[in-house]
Amino acid sequence: MKALIFGPGRIGCGFVGQVLRKAGYELTFAGRGTVVDNLARVRAYRVRLTDGNHARDEQYDVTSVRAVQTSDVAGVRAAAAEADLIAVSVCPDNLHVIAKVLAAALLSRTSPVDVIAFENCTDPGGSLREAVLLCAPELASKGHGFSSALVSRIVTGRQGEPSKNAPLVFLGDRASTFVVDGTTLRNPLPPIEGMRVVDNFRAWAMKKLYTFGAGHAATAYLGALKGYRYVHSAIRDPEIRAAVLAAMEEGRQGLLRRYGLELAGTHAELHEILARFDNAALNDPVTRVGRDPLRKLRPDDRLVGAARLAQEAGVSPSRLAMAAGAALCFVCALDRAACPAPAATVRTVAELDPIRGLGRAVLEAFAQLVQGREDDNVLLSLEGHVWSWSRRDAAELGKA
Amino acid sequence: MRIGILMTPSFSSRRSPLMPAVLALLRQWGASVEVIYPEDRCTHLGALKVEHDLYVLRSETELGLSVAGALHAIGAQCLNPWPAASLMRDKIAALRRLLAAGVPMPETYVVCTPQRLARLLEDGPVMVRPFRRSRGRGARLFWDGDDLDAAGEGPCIAQRYHAPDAADGCERKIYCIGGQLFGVLRRAPARTASEKAGEPFSITPELRRIALACGEAFGVELFGLDIIFSSGRPYVVDVHSFPGFKGVPDAPLRLADYIYAAAQRVLAGESVARAIAANTPLKVTPATPVEAVPA
């Protein structure tokens, strides 16, 4: 069995490649840059999995890999032509970028194949199919499957210098399950350890996004406001820990109401998620987890989507709204000059009404959090909204 | 990640809980942390090697500082670099450096014995501190020349006493952890535990500017300042290279986060030393008054 994986990044190598190789697939990676050169030259890489106790670390050498630059059209076509499975892990916003290359590769095939998009969103397979058919409408009748998959693993980074001849190392936690949308698969997949094929993928995607994803993002955005550098330190802050747990519980309540206990899981599972955020061995900066905040503020994504679902369940999503407000602060911190008006972001990105309901709650949370925010400032208290320094008049601050 | 922390053995039951909490966090995060007590060792200087990715100088003793200097000489990376820590320990050099950086301070004098301060006292009280003691230890206020006989011996610094504004009866501490500033308001004299801990306050732009100037003057991101307000004007009266951060919300967590990040930088091949080396002379700000020591 052969698999072609677009995107030799954290998830592509650190999860997809490892589980497929373990299941017996021969791997070819397609991508850009020096990592592809390294994989092509070294033909192997390593995945190190840790739960924070290095004595229990697991290492997997992913061997006999091949790699081609996506600019090598003939090479990609050749790999696609003989692939039994194509996986894509390039970040949701890049699906349209890879679509042209993928379309050209699929046109070279004589038989249908399953393409699985491993991305953190509710329907990446559908988005990819749409983008591919825009490039090559004739593929609509070829019977290729465009499915979606969600992975549970956190893969935080890559170690090693691609220009050298040593294998790169991808560092992740030990979570090893993934969920595949079975309704859009062309052919049944062979047994793969950790894989669960489901027919209600959207619900599973929401489960991951609205509990784990919401908690992870909330930790990053609140952690950034309070001046922490790492997820593992931010989550140790009692205020942040309480807020993150409450935000995940709001999301879980929404899932519980819509899908029931089996999918929503128990409150105890949220503590297991917190324990994963505690894992310092992942060395995960809040800036990495918080990146791309506008995508994370979309209506179906982890913060706003979870909050909407909670509201449907009759739960007031105050902590999710606060996390979304913190995400708006993060947007401004990334580029103050290009910072969009928060109300406009709430309206156009989150697709919420800024003057009522959830949109208003997000903006109020933002207004409270951002009041007094300055460069290099640290929020001392989420509740009291006290900043480490303030431009306000000294007299107003009690001659401080 | 190997971290060495140079510390002073503590025999006091009132030991600060800061460092045990920081050590516990770093160890929970997987760092190998060794606490080094120079006073408890026979250090073979020729065999001294850099055995840790990052050192943290927490020791307040001369020996601890010198061992940090020895490690610095053989290329150790120290979170609070020895040149800066050494400079900050020497109050005479440190305060002059702060003056040169434009930091507001009371008129400051240096004398080889307190008895030479008699003429200064004719113009008002002075606060006298040993020139190499830290954290206000040994500080004493003199109002009258007759008191100087009991002042002891040795070089000291004397600062013109400015009575703190009595409105709140509080002293202000500004702490810096990794470039992040924290203000703590503390009642003076503090009696209860909560008064001793103080409470956080939002630093004004003026105090922020002063604190950042202090950090720049020494090229450090880890320090503390004592500030008094008198007649509405701020005066920096002391500076510390590794204070106790009492009253800073979640101080152990913030300090551990900073140390961990610094060690990660070292592991990534970067230097923790700031671009502004503490041994670079500062250009004297024209507005800075240079006081003459009275004969």
Side-chain angles (χ1 to χ4, degrees), chain A residues 214 218 221-222 225 243 246-248 250-251 297 302-308 310-311 315-329 346 352 357-369:
Chain A
Y221 296 133
L222 297 175
L225 282 175
M248 290 197 295
E250 289 166 5
L297 282 167
R302 61 215 72 190
L303 300 174
V304 176
R308 288 167 57 205
Q311 278 188 322
V315 173
S316 172
S318 61
R319 295 293 131 173
L320 285 164
M322 182 167 75
L328 284 172
C329 295
V346 164
L352 296 171
L358 180 58
R360 180 174 174 165
V362 171
L363 280 175
E364 283 177 353
F366 168 76
Q368 284 189 318
L369 292 172

Side-chain angles (χ1 to χ4, degrees), chain A residues 145-316:
Chain A
F146 285 88
S147 185
S148 306
L150 272 173
V151 309
S152 56
R153 182 174 296 166
I154 303 172
V155 186
T156 55
R158 190 193 69 218
Q159 297 167 343
E161 177 50 54
S163 64
K164 298 196 172 148
N165 286 327
L168 300 172
V169 179
F170 292 84
L171 179 67
D173 72 1
R174 294 168 69 177
S176 57
T177 57
F178 66 113
V179 174
V180 179
D181 182 1
T183 63
T184 47
L185 284 174
R186 174 75 172 72
N187 301 303
L189 292 170
I192 299 174
E193 195 175 309
M195 179 176 70
R196 178 171 184 163
V197 179
V198 298
D199 58 8
N200 56 344
F201 180 80
R202 184 176 160 75
W204 283 91
M206 287 163 79
K207 172 189 169 71
K208 185 192 172 187
L209 284 175
Y210 296 175
T211 54
F212 179 94
H216 214 199
T219 306
Y221 296 133
L222 297 175
L225 282 175
K226 292 196 78 172
Y228 295 106
R229 294 161 180 81
Y230 295 99
V231 166
H232 65 253
S233 34
I235 200 62
R236 290 272 183 157
D237 181 299
E239 276 193 329
I240 293 178
R241 199 174 189 89
V244 167
L245 184 62
M248 290 197 295
E249 177 60 20
E250 289 166 5
R252 192 187 75 88
Q253 287 294 331
L255 292 164
L256 187 64
R257 175 71 177 266
R258 181 177 286 189
Y259 298 111
L261 184 62
E262 188 189 359
L263 192 133
T266 63
H267 185 76
E269 287 176 35
L270 304 183
H271 287 277
E272 290 170 15
I273 293 173
L274 286 183
R276 292 179 66 193
F277 299 163
D278 276 325
N279 185 352
L282 295 175
N283 194 25
D284 212 358
V286 295
T287 47
R288 189 199 75 80
V289 177
R291 71 184 176 183
D292 209 357
L294 291 178
R295 176 167 64 82
K296 288 167 184 163
L297 282 167
R298 286 177 189 162
D300 286 335
D301 215 297
R302 61 215 72 190
L303 300 174
V304 176
R308 288 167 57 205
L309 195 64
Q311 278 188 322
E312 284 177 27
V315 173
S316 172

Side-chain angles (χ1 to χ4, degrees), chain A residues 226-227 229 233 236 387 390, chain B residues 28 180 202-203 205 254 257:
Chain A
K226 292 196 78 172
R229 294 161 180 81
S233 34
R236 290 272 183 157
W387 288 90
S390 170
Chain B
Q28 284 166 27
Q180 297 172 348
S202 286
I203 297 166
R254 293 182 181 284
D257 184 53

Side-chain angles (χ1 to χ4, degrees), chain B residues 5-279:
Chain B
I5 303 195
L6 292 161
M7 285 182 52
T8 310
S10 174
F11 305 103
S12 165
S13 59
R14 292 164 59 201
R15 200 168 80 163
S16 161
L18 175 77
M19 288 314 290
V22 170
L23 298 179
L25 281 167
L26 290 170
R27 285 175 176 143
Q28 284 166 27
W29 293 344
S32 165
V33 185
E34 184 188 3
V35 179
I36 303 163
Y37 297 113
E39 281 77 5
D40 288 354
R41 296 181 170 201
C42 174
T43 303
H44 182 187
L45 210 50
L48 186 69
K49 290 186 297 190
V50 178
E51 294 178 313
H52 299 86
D53 302 306
L54 180 73
Y55 287 87
V56 179
L57 174 57
R58 170 62 171 156
S59 171
E60 297 169 4
T61 65
E62 294 296 326
L63 180 59
L65 183 64
S66 293
V67 169
L71 286 164
H72 175 80
I74 56 174
Q77 296 254 24
C78 192
L79 185 71
N80 38 354
W82 170 75
S86 182
L87 187 56
M88 291 168 89
R89 192 77 59 91
D90 181 335
K91 298 297 176 196
I92 296 170
L95 295 181
R96 187 62 188 90
R97 196 167 182 88
L98 291 180
L99 276 171
V103 171
M105 288 169 46
E107 290 172 13
T108 302
Y109 302 89
V110 179
V111 286
C112 65
T113 65
Q115 287 70 32
R116 293 183 65 88
L117 295 169
R119 282 190 56 189
L120 269 182
L121 290 171
E122 291 171 9
D123 296 327
V126 292
M127 183 66 80
V128 178
R129 305 166 200 270
F131 86 105
R132 288 188 74 83
R133 297 285 285 276
S134 62
R135 297 196 211 179
R137 281 190 284 253
R140 193 168 164 190
L141 181 62
F142 286 94
W143 292 82
D144 195 302
D146 294 343
D147 298 333
L148 293 173
D149 292 338
E153 294 294 322
C156 58
I157 58 170
Q159 290 182 311
R160 177 64 63 202
Y161 177 68
H162 292 273
D165 292 337
D168 54 14
C170 287
E171 58 184 28
R172 285 157 183 82
K173 308 274 183 185
I174 295 182
Y175 298 113
C176 182
I177 302 175
Q180 297 172 348
L181 298 175
F182 302 91
V184 174
L185 209 55
R186 199 170 294 157
R187 187 158 295 283
R191 293 184 183 86
T192 66
S194 71
E195 282 179 356
K196 284 175 185 166
E199 60 182 84
F201 72 93
S202 286
I203 297 166
T204 61
E206 181 185 30
L207 291 184
R208 177 174 182 263
R209 183 189 56 74
I210 290 168
L212 292 177
C214 291
E216 286 295 310
F218 297 109
V220 291
E221 294 182 327
L222 191 68
F223 61 92
L225 296 178
D226 293 349
I227 293 180
I228 60 156
F229 269 85
S230 185
S231 304
R233 290 185 57 197
Y235 295 92
V236 172
V237 293
D238 209 352
V239 58
H240 318 284
S241 67
F242 199 136
F245 301 106
K246 196 181 278 184
V248 175
D250 306 299
L253 185 58
R254 293 182 181 284
L255 192 53
D257 184 53
Y258 173 52
I259 294 171
Y260 188 91
Q264 284 292 345
R265 289 212 310 271
V266 175
L267 289 172
E270 297 173 30
S271 168
V272 291
R274 289 272 306 279
I276 301 168
N279 55 4

Side-chain angles (χ1 to χ4, degrees), chain A residues 375-394:
Chain A
D375 289 338
D376 305 325
N377 215 343
V378 173
L379 188 60
L380 300 179
S381 161
L382 291 179
E383 298 302 334
H385 303 110
V386 179
W387 288 90
S388 68
W389 73 277
S390 170
R391 282 193 196 280
R392 281 185 293 162
D393 182 63

